[in-house]
Amino acid sequence: MGQQAFDPARHIIIVRVKLQDESGRLLYLQMALDTGASMTVIPWQAAERLGLDPARSRRRVRFMTGSGMEVAPIITAPAMELMGVCVTNVPVLCHDLPQRSLVDGLLGLSFLRHCRLAIDFPRGVLELRK
């Protein structure tokens, strides 16, 4: 189990997520914890840095953004870890968030559904365990 403090006065909970490819290469992303997102979202460049090729994915999904409907590939991240909790073979959507975003991506339910998550707003503590 892991714990992380967050500022309950902010409008976003930011977590540092470790991604690992099959060869052991590591990549760290700042992600917004988003229990309303069914998919975890990582930037296209992050997928490429992990040796994954989103352009070759046959799985695509349509989704709504602030600027309208978009289509993006779904790939499988070999391993993702947050606060010591590792989940393997996580489906992720490859889509670049706007440059003004405070984060690289969104940590959604495709990761979180494998964990027990507690968000204690009065204390400003996030707890995660498998």
Side-chain angles (χ1 to χ4, degrees):
M1 178 174 91
Q3 286 190 345
Q4 175 181 315
F6 69 93
D7 182 354
R10 292 191 66 192
H11 68 283
I12 187 172
I13 298 174
I14 298 176
V15 293
R16 187 168 185 246
V17 178
K18 178 170 73 172
L19 289 89
Q20 186 171 359
D21 72 4
E22 292 169 348
S23 69
R25 185 176 8 200
L26 297 176
L27 177 65
Y28 293 88
L29 298 177
Q30 295 291 107
M31 301 180 82
L33 182 71
D34 190 345
T35 60
S38 58
M39 294 291 299
T40 294
V41 179
I42 66 170
W44 196 281
Q45 185 180 40
E48 290 175 335
R49 287 179 60 196
L50 289 170
L52 305 170
D53 187 359
R56 297 186 63 155
S57 174
R58 291 186 176 167
R59 296 174 56 198
R60 305 274 172 175
V61 66
R62 291 174 48 96
F63 62 101
M64 181 63 84
T65 69
S67 58
M69 287 298 277
E70 299 205 25
V71 177
I74 297 175
I75 61 171
T76 301
M80 295 182 71
E81 184 177 324
L82 174 62
M83 295 186 290
V85 174
C86 185
V87 177
T88 58
N89 300 317
V90 180
V92 297
L93 184 71
C94 287
H95 179 71
D96 295 332
L97 298 181
Q99 282 187 322
R100 66 184 182 279
S101 298
L102 300 173
V103 293
D104 302 312
L106 306 174
L107 188 64
L109 297 182
S110 60
F111 176 89
L112 295 171
R113 73 173 20 107
H114 301 280
C115 311
R116 291 179 181 256
L117 172 67
I119 304 172
D120 187 335
F121 278 94
R123 289 181 35 226
V125 175
L126 180 68
E127 294 181 356
L128 188 74
R129 61 184 164 150
K130 198 114 184 212

